[in-house]
Amino acid sequence: MGDTDKAGIGIFGAGWVGLVTGACFAELGHTVVIRDVVPERIESLRAGRVPIHEEGLEQLIERNRDRLSFTLGVGEVAARAELLFVCVGTPPTYSGDADLSAIWTVLDELPAETRATLVMKSTVPVGTGDKVRAALEARGLGHVGYVSNPEFLSEGRALRDFMQPDRVVIGAYAEPDALAVAALYDSLDTELVQTDVHSAEMIKLASNAFLATRISFINEIANVCEVTGADVEEVARGMGLDRRIGSHFLRAGIGYGGSCFPKDVSALKQLAGNSGYHFQLLNSVIEVNELQKRRVVGKLKKHLGHLAGRRVALLGLAYKAGTDDLREASSIVLAARLLAEGAEVVAWDPVARPRDELRGATLAATAREAVAGADAAVIVTEWPELRELVCEEVRAAMRTPLFVDGRNLLDPLAVRAAGFAYEGVGRPTSPFSALPETEEPEPRVRR
Ligand SMILES: NC(=O)c1ccc[n+]([C@@H]2O[C@H](COP(=O)([O-])OP(=O)(O)OC[C@H]3O[C@@H](n4cnc5c(N)ncnc54)[C@H](O)[C@@H]3O)[C@@H](O)[C@H]2O)c1
């Protein structure tokens, strides 16, 4: 194999982290080969189709075609790369621990002649690096280096997060391995946190658990605002201006979801529990988040009474705007709860395409189609285009003009002025007054 066949970087996993990492390193001038185990994924990437919705990613991959390749073959990656990034999924198991089976598969598949350093970008429990080292040694691959380099990207703005990171964390057993990975990020203007492997692993878990804690905290404040007459949007603004607090992750809403926060909070809680420590705070963070999703049902009942036979439009299905990722999305729990109450659920999202996740719900092609004839429109994901639904045409098309705004996306005054009833999260609610009599007196809506 000539030097031109050398790819500096190999990547295991063509998901969010693997594709973004690969495309961004290619943009920084490196030669990258990305390996996945799903043949359709690799075929589609070779044909120039990106299997996930992430702004700018398709163009970035296209622009760097000369430096990026995709393969199913583990041998090709191991032979061509000096740094092997592990970006496979680590989903939760039934026990709440992280499922590391994809990582062990990567290790099992590594060819005996591998001469490279493994760089762990997947989110893993503290102690995983030690186990990987032991497994490598048991396989006679003790010369393979190991670095923990957790990823902090946020879906929907992943390219920016990669290219302008708040920090790059590198935990290594050996200085040369740390330096080799640090060199990849040389051209980025960022803070480098070089530390030990255990601490690098913990930085990732603790960061996500802290952000989730902020969300559950502001959601509880919102719930108290609802019973005391304060407006959580004002409260969060006033709190966020305090430099000790800051304004990030103080948006009250329907609860956090996605492929990271729920599983990482649970994994940290389990990690602590397995080590003999009861992480009480995280139990509450998780419980508050679960209850928060269900509060929407109470708000619907407040306005519509029983939900049997009511048609509810779920607007936005992905766990947040800017992505088509449905993992742990609030829409899934909400749809199931509404269907269990006997409601008819019509769901819409501009990019997410649910398969089995929303079984029993009808999918609408447009937001307007979803709300036509509906008794309520529930905003589950903060897609900006949903603001356009606040208009006379939609009011007239709905059977009951009611918005339950799970993301505080809309302006309550404008919504009410347009003739809708409105329920946000932690905001003054619509006063109780029945809608004017319609041809169909039931259900009655209180504004
Ligand atoms: N998605 C995020 O926003 C995000 C952010 C930071 C960290 N993380 C962490 O990064 C890791 C990956 O997350 P993701 O969202 O990219 O996952 P993903 O599920 O989107 O992608 C994982 C990919 O790995 C592939 N894969 C499985 N086994 C493989 C193997 N043996 N060899 C090669 N490929 C294999 C899968 O087919 C899949 O395409 C997780 O640990 C996650 O917690 C994710």
Side-chain angles (χ1 to χ4, degrees):
M1 185 180 294
D3 270 357
T4 46
D5 291 331
K6 269 275 178 211
I9 294 173
I11 291 186
F12 289 99
W16 256 275
V17 172
L19 286 176
V20 169
T21 302
C24 288
F25 277 142
E27 175 80 358
L28 294 176
H30 301 281
T31 310
V32 181
V33 53
I34 302 182
R35 187 249 177 166
D36 205 286
V37 286
V38 180
E40 306 83 66
R41 208 155 247 250
I42 293 301
E43 273 162 35
S44 138
L45 285 160
R46 282 179 174 156
R49 290 188 308 276
V50 176
I52 56 173
H53 178 86
E54 183 60 48
E55 202 181 330
L57 183 58
E58 197 154 302
Q59 297 87 322
L60 196 68
I61 289 179
E62 189 50 44
R63 193 159 73 227
N64 289 285
R65 281 241 147 244
D66 292 350
R67 284 190 290 269
L68 260 179
S69 56
F70 304 97
T71 183
L72 286 167
V74 66
E76 186 187 338
V77 186
R80 290 177 60 198
E82 281 142 21
L83 293 168
L84 291 172
F85 282 79
V86 182
C87 304
V88 297
T90 50
T93 59
Y94 282 117
S95 64
D97 294 284
D99 177 357
L100 302 183
S101 54
I103 289 174
W104 302 131
T105 304
V106 168
L107 290 187
D108 290 344
E109 290 174 334
L110 278 186
E113 57 280 8
T114 305
R115 295 262 172 284
T117 296
L118 273 188
V119 188
M120 186 61 68
K121 265 211 178 285
S122 297
T123 304
V124 294
V126 181
T128 302
D130 292 354
K131 289 183 184 157
V132 171
R133 279 239 55 84
L136 287 169
E137 269 158 33
R139 277 208 51 209
L141 289 170
H143 55 275
V144 170
Y146 184 87
V147 174
S148 166
N149 175 215
E151 180 51 58
F152 298 94
L153 66 78
S154 177
E155 289 177 22
R157 37 170 254 190
L159 302 185
R160 193 179 55 188
D161 285 347
F162 193 95
M163 291 300 199
Q164 298 161 33
D166 291 339
R167 78 300 210 188
V168 169
V169 174
I170 294 178
Y173 295 102
E175 183 78 4
D177 291 335
L179 295 178
V181 176
L184 297 177
Y185 297 96
D186 261 354
S187 56
L188 303 183
D189 179 19
T190 188
E191 188 91 22
L192 183 71
V193 180
Q194 195 182 325
T195 181
D196 60 279
V197 172
H198 286 201
S199 303
E201 292 167 340
M202 183 58 105
I203 287 170
K204 173 63 194 176
L205 290 176
S207 299
N208 273 1
F210 185 71
L211 293 174
T213 302
R214 282 180 71 112
I215 295 173
S216 279
F217 179 83
I218 199 66
N219 281 339
E220 288 228 274
I221 293 292
N223 299 341
V224 179
C225 284
E226 283 177 12
V227 289
T228 55
D231 182 338
V232 75
E233 295 292 309
E234 294 300 303
V235 174
R237 190 162 64 92
M239 286 172 66
L241 287 169
D242 185 329
R243 267 177 282 221
R244 296 169 302 174
I245 297 174
S247 59
H248 294 294
F249 284 77
L250 282 186
R251 293 292 314 273
I254 204 168
Y256 60 78
S259 66
C260 290
F261 283 7
K263 88 169 166 65
D264 293 347
V265 175
S266 156
L268 181 53
K269 183 191 122 175
Q270 291 307 332
L271 175 75
N274 298 343
S275 318
Y277 180 73
H278 176 63
F279 206 142
Q280 197 166 337
L281 180 60
L282 290 188
N283 277 327
S284 302
V285 169
I286 294 167
E287 192 183 352
V288 167
N289 196 56
E290 282 313 306
L291 294 174
Q292 197 68 14
K293 300 174 198 171
R294 291 161 169 79
R295 284 177 69 83
V296 168
V297 176
K299 287 174 180 172
L300 287 167
K301 283 184 174 169
K302 171 181 155 190
H303 286 271
L304 301 173
H306 65 89
L307 297 182
R310 310 287 193 213
R311 183 185 293 190
V312 179
L314 289 189
L315 303 174
L317 306 174
Y319 79 94
K320 67 172 183 179
T323 182
D324 59 349
D325 199 341
L326 281 159
R327 289 178 283 188
E328 300 287 333
S330 299
S331 62
I332 299 171
V333 171
L334 205 47
R337 278 294 310 120
L338 292 170
L339 290 165
E341 294 279 343
E344 182 191 345
V345 176
V346 187
W348 169 84
D349 191 283
V351 291
R353 297 288 168 262
R355 291 188 185 136
D356 281 346
E357 296 93 338
L358 267 73
R359 205 177 300 125
T362 308
L363 294 182
T366 63
R368 296 223 172 191
E369 185 185 312
V371 297
D375 292 298
V378 180
I379 297 181
V380 188
T381 311
E382 65 281 23
W383 290 105
E385 56 261 53
L386 291 174
R387 292 197 179 95
E388 288 161 22
L389 294 179
V390 183
C391 64
E392 174 50 28
E393 204 185 330
V394 168
R395 199 198 66 78
M398 289 181 73
R399 188 155 62 194
T400 317
L402 165 65
F403 271 110
V404 176
D405 184 356
R407 299 289 182 179
N408 287 352
L409 177 78
L410 307 178
D411 172 358
L413 293 178
V415 176
R416 284 188 202 116
F420 295 85
Y422 179 83
E423 283 283 333
V425 179
R427 294 166 129 181
T429 55
S430 290
F432 288 86
S433 67
L435 279 181
E437 290 291 318
T438 60
E439 283 169 20
E440 193 186 32
E442 279 293 323
R444 293 171 76 87
V445 166
R446 294 166 159 181
R447 263 195 275 169

